[in-house]
Amino acid sequence: MMAEMSGPRPSDRFIPWYIVGFFVVLTMVLGTLVWIAEQNFPGTVTDKPYERGLAYNRTLQAAAAEQAMGWHGKVTLQPVADGYRVRYELHGADGLPLPAATVQCWLYRPSNSKLDQKFALTVQPDGSYAAPVTLPAKGVWEIRLAANAGGHDFQQSERIVVQ
């Protein structure tokens, strides 16, 4: 009869190294993921966020004053032969167009800030405001408009999907 061996096997001496190796590989994988995340960070959402946070009460007061004016606008993105045309109709509290406003437009791409655009809209004969624009990508865009007429400011934002 053969006697059974008791005690550790020769391969058991590597068990501590398996544990160390596991943590070394885990650290390398997690370090790689952290490096990728740091390299692809798009940057800050706003410039000077602390100062903008301090000015939040002024922003709320301006929004209340803006709402009290009763202005309302409608923005559309119309396809044209060589791209798109942003058209904006701005009406006062009486429902009549406001033709003497200065209107700025920002097109924001939520997924890629490198595609953002800023331009001015010009007044059209029908009292609306428009400008041609070329969108480099399809998908979700945010249109932000800022109008100033008679010393009063009005802002509007709308999210659209370009097919």
Side-chain angles (χ1 to χ4, degrees):
M1 219 166 158
M2 197 172 234
E4 276 194 41
M5 289 182 66
S6 64
R9 296 176 300 186
S11 62
D12 288 350
R13 66 179 183 200
F14 295 113
I15 290 176
W17 291 109
Y18 294 147
I19 294 171
V20 169
F22 169 78
F23 285 107
V24 167
V25 170
L26 182 66
T27 302
M28 289 174 29
V29 169
L30 292 178
T32 302
L33 292 175
V34 167
W35 180 80
I36 290 170
E38 287 292 325
Q39 295 300 316
N40 293 318
F41 180 67
T44 59
V45 176
T46 61
D47 292 331
K48 300 183 180 179
Y50 178 72
E51 290 81 3
R52 290 188 67 163
L54 291 177
Y56 188 65
N57 285 337
R58 287 192 302 259
T59 302
L60 291 176
Q61 291 169 349
E66 179 181 299
Q67 190 172 11
M69 288 188 311
W71 292 7
H72 56 280
K74 179 183 176 189
V75 61
T76 54
L77 186 68
Q78 304 165 331
V80 293
D82 59 342
Y84 292 92
R85 181 174 173 246
V86 175
R87 184 170 184 271
Y88 185 55
E89 298 174 23
L90 180 60
H91 299 279
D94 55 3
L96 297 174
L98 296 171
T102 303
V103 180
Q104 293 291 321
C105 181
W106 292 265
L107 287 173
Y108 289 103
R109 178 80 171 171
S111 63
N112 186 353
S113 62
K114 294 177 184 172
L115 301 179
D116 294 352
Q117 301 177 35
K118 178 185 178 186
F119 50 92
L121 300 182
T122 57
V123 67
Q124 303 299 302
D126 64 355
S128 67
Y129 301 87
V133 64
T134 302
L135 298 177
K138 295 183 182 207
V140 177
W141 287 86
E142 185 170 338
I143 300 176
R144 294 183 187 170
L145 298 146
N148 183 300
H152 299 289
D153 292 324
F154 181 75
Q155 297 181 28
Q156 185 171 349
S157 177
E158 189 169 325
R159 196 166 268 209
I160 59 165
V161 177
V162 178
Q163 301 290 333

